[in-house]
Amino acid sequence: MATKGLIIARDLVVGYGTDPVCAPVSVAVTEGTALGVVGPNGAGKSTVLQTMVGLLAPISGSVQFDGRDVDEREAGFRRDVATVLDDDAFFPSLTGQEHLLLTARGHGVDAAEDVVAAEIAEFGLQDRADALPSALSSGQRRRLALAAAFVRPARLLVLDEPERRLDTRMRRRLAERLREEVADGLTVVFASHDPEFLATLARRVLIVGDDACRLTGPAEAVAALHEG
Amino acid sequence: MRRFTRRASAARADTSWLTLLGDLVSYVTGAAVVVAALGSTITSLREDIRSREDTVSAVLPGSVSAAVAGLVVAAALAGLLDQLGPVSATPPAAAWWLPLPAARRGLLRGELWRIGLVAVVVSVVLGLPVVLSGARSPTVTGVLLGLACAGLLGAAVTGLLAAAQGAGRGGRVSAAAGLVTVLAVALPALGGTAAHALGAAVGDPPYWLELCLPSSWPVLVAGGSWWLLVPAALLAVAGLVLGDRGLAGLRAGVLRAGGETVQYASASVLSLDTRAIGRALARPVRRGRRPAAFGRVRTAAQAVVASDLAVLTRSPWRWGQLVVGCLLPVLVARTEGLGESPPLVGIAVVLGWALAAVALGEPSRHAQAAPAADRMLPLADREVVRARAVVPLVVLVGVCGVSALLVSQGAGLPVGWLLLGAAAAPAWAGAAVRGGYRPELDWSGPVVSSPMGAVPSGVGATLVRGLDVGVVGTLPFVVALLVGEPTQLLLTVQLGWALLLGAVAVHTAHSSRT
């Protein structure tokens, strides 16, 4: 049973209605570490992540963040936890740059304009920063969503397949960036199908399955990914 | 290919001809009952209005308002058809028909006829109240011919829009139609108000001006100018011929995009989900001319307000709705026959302010559908919903206050009316948020039997969510209209009542999310 960590799942059964989608999950993620979540399509990775950040109610078990039960409606939780789970998390009528700026200012970031400019450059959005999200390609929207997670302070970053729709260069840059952030104290939980991404970032990996969810090292997880 | 597809669909369908005939009889009977009820109501209203004494403040002849109504109906129909295509192909049709090695004109002709027929029926239905209320001494023959004229004009609009679509100029009419609607309401309302202030008389619109506006033709035909059926028929034929020729130039992407909109809108209509209809027909947002710096935003609540302001300031469509919502009651109050009836003015006030509240509920509707953006800010769910009421409240104080001031022109105590209108704003601001955040339609509630068929009560309760608070919150204002004076007591009651209802509406809007 997991006992210590910034975010802790205890005997967590996730699913829709009363039907679990995978075996119970017990895991603790300590501050300043990265946990990868892997498994085949439909294994329940996204459901696990969404339940861990309070978007779905658990069927049974519990999730605690910083010693308290997770409630995503609370201001404190929203201040500390950044998520990139879907691509439509944008304010309507705002361009990409405005969306980032408003997010940063809403979090009270000092020198918000400089921070936003740096992230726009980091994610290669300079040419499309003044476009509405609806006018961006799916890959550009993904980059914008990721940039939004970095223009604000957070203690925990939860990502669902962050490598999705990114080109190879951007995947590598993102993995390196996340590794640096983890070294600086950020906690990251991410689901991924990318062995390279997993190997770069994670020191522990949760393999989600129907019969059991178990923790392992990245080497075994990468091998499992290669085996499909 | 069309025939083959139709036969294949018919072969798979389990609907017999008898069932179809029964449905047809049922629809026709239902439509006849609605038409009879509408005709009877409008006729008795005309008699009632005729028996009233004119008031000084109602200076616009009824013919002006009838012309406005005709113009608004025509603009709405043209704008809607333009947004839907008018010619489109649903995704399955686009996947199956469009790649075929067959002339596109032949494949799409049936679609043009189908949408033209729908436009004719809609024109007749919407034209009925306009013709009945606008024509002087209408006869049954006159009304029927007027409706025939409306149907012909509906067909002409469809054909001309299809021709524009084929020429690659589709999608440009809806903005113009919106502008026409705003001007059609605003100019007579403000003109009537100015005329009343100056003590000037406003006469009937000149015959030549009505002739220049085809939307007025059905009323003119019903009034005896039957010859106008000839140009209407010529317009319909010319429009449909041009539209048919334009079918060959329609691109697959345009057809598919239109078909997706039609499919979404049709499903929304069938499921009675008015919020989804709005989403299906929503105009694309514009970005600002200059990037916003949000320099004054220091907190998460301010960020929510700033994003809501951006939605409003970057949508000319919403501004148009606000102008119409503010001035629609004024138009009714200035119109001879309508302005003398406080209950009718009260109904117009509720309709106008409800329209303004719906316009201001857009950020709430968006947040209900895609709440992820709100979760990015360090603000509790409850606080987000509260912050979302700020922009509607501030704007509605202006809209309701100005509207009330202009409606009450000539009734004395202008400051009192202004304050009384502004005092109703909290209820409508709450209504905007409550309506935007309302839950999905509940089809599981008990079914109530009605002459129109079974009505699921849960659906009705959800559909009026938001509007209910606004209507109830405006009651003190309506009472003031009835007694003709904004008393101190009514002002106090209005403010307290609206604040209470607004707070309840925002609270329940949050509760419906959790």
Side-chain angles (χ1 to χ4, degrees), chain B residues 12 57 67 76 182 453 499:
Chain B
R12 290 201 187 101
S57 63
V182 173
L499 283 171

Side-chain angles (χ1 to χ4, degrees), chain B residues 39-399:
Chain B
S40 162
T41 306
I42 292 176
T43 307
S44 68
L45 202 58
R46 284 174 69 114
E47 294 301 320
D48 181 43
I49 287 169
R50 207 170 283 159
S51 65
R52 284 205 194 100
E53 288 181 17
D54 290 351
T55 60
V56 186
S57 63
V59 293
L60 291 174
S63 54
V64 171
S65 296
V68 167
L71 203 54
V72 168
V73 166
L77 182 66
L80 180 65
L81 285 172
D82 185 55
Q83 268 197 296
L84 298 178
V87 181
S88 63
T90 57
W96 166 238
W97 278 1
L98 298 183
L100 290 175
R104 189 154 291 178
R105 191 171 160 191
L107 285 173
L108 296 173
R109 185 170 286 148
E111 174 67 11
L112 177 62
W113 284 107
R114 193 182 62 80
I115 197 76
L117 188 64
V118 171
V120 167
V121 172
V122 171
S123 303
V124 169
V125 171
L126 294 180
L128 179 68
V130 178
V131 168
L132 280 177
S133 55
R136 298 177 185 87
S137 331
T139 61
V140 173
T141 313
V143 169
L144 289 176
L145 290 176
L147 293 181
C149 182
L152 288 169
L153 291 174
V157 167
T158 310
L160 291 172
L161 286 173
Q165 188 188 10
R169 292 176 187 163
R172 297 182 186 180
V173 174
S174 50
L179 182 63
V180 166
T181 304
V182 173
L183 293 178
V185 173
L187 291 181
L190 294 176
T193 302
H196 177 240
L198 298 170
V202 180
D204 286 326
Y207 188 60
W208 64 265
L209 181 62
E210 291 190 272
L211 283 181
C212 289
L213 293 172
S215 57
S216 296
W217 291 2
V219 173
L220 293 179
V221 169
S225 302
W226 295 359
W227 63 272
L228 279 170
L229 282 170
V230 178
L234 288 174
L235 262 180
V237 171
L240 289 172
V241 168
L242 287 173
D244 185 73
R245 286 188 181 167
L247 293 177
L250 287 175
R251 296 185 181 280
V254 172
L255 291 166
R256 196 189 313 263
E260 283 168 2
T261 306
V262 169
Q263 208 168 31
Y264 186 13
S266 307
S268 309
V269 170
L270 285 174
S271 62
L272 303 176
D273 192 345
T274 51
R275 186 171 52 194
I277 296 171
R279 282 179 189 144
L281 301 176
R283 266 69 173 172
V285 292
R286 288 184 187 176
R287 61 179 187 175
R289 288 182 184 166
R290 283 182 302 175
F294 304 115
R296 294 182 181 175
V297 174
R298 295 279 183 276
T299 64
Q302 289 172 348
V304 172
V305 174
S307 84
D308 291 356
L309 261 180
V311 173
L312 181 64
T313 55
R314 294 178 180 184
S315 172
W317 184 251
R318 304 281 164 229
W319 284 109
Q321 278 182 286
L322 290 177
V323 171
V324 171
C326 179
L327 295 179
L328 179 71
V330 183
L331 179 65
V332 171
R334 288 293 90 77
T335 300
E336 285 174 5
L338 301 177
E340 290 87 1
S341 169
L344 283 180
V345 175
I347 290 172
V349 163
V350 167
L351 285 177
W353 295 357
L355 184 66
V358 168
L360 292 163
E362 174 62 21
S364 300
R365 287 192 291 277
H366 185 276
Q368 190 274 340
D374 288 344
R375 283 199 294 265
M376 299 182 67
L377 295 170
L379 197 63
D381 220 23
R382 186 181 298 277
E383 302 300 325
V384 170
V385 177
R386 279 186 200 151
R388 196 132 274 150
V390 171
V391 172
L393 178 62
V394 172
V395 176
L396 281 165
V397 164
V399 168

Side-chain angles (χ1 to χ4, degrees), chain A residues 6 9 20 27 53 61 70 108 135 159 179-181 196 201 224:
Chain A
L6 183 64
V27 65
V53 295
V70 163
L159 308 156
R179 192 168 68 171
E180 291 165 16
E181 297 285 348
E196 188 180 339
L201 184 58

Side-chain angles (χ1 to χ4, degrees), chain A residues 74-146:
Chain A
E74 286 182 358
F77 185 82
R78 292 180 174 187
R79 185 179 299 112
D80 288 340
V81 181
T83 60
V84 183
L85 303 176
D86 44 32
D87 291 341
D88 62 350
F90 304 115
F91 294 109
S93 304
L94 297 190
T95 64
Q97 182 174 18
E98 290 169 338
H99 171 75
L100 298 178
L101 199 52
L102 197 61
T103 305
R105 290 203 193 281
H107 278 270
V109 173
D110 293 330
E113 286 176 333
D114 295 339
V115 172
V116 167
E119 294 304 338
I120 284 176
E122 172 78 12
F123 284 93
L125 289 166
Q126 299 96 319
D127 296 338
R128 302 292 288 153
D130 288 331
L132 291 169
S134 55
L136 297 176
S137 71
S138 63
Q140 288 167 334
R141 277 203 302 275
R142 189 68 176 169
R143 291 181 189 203
L144 182 60
L146 288 164

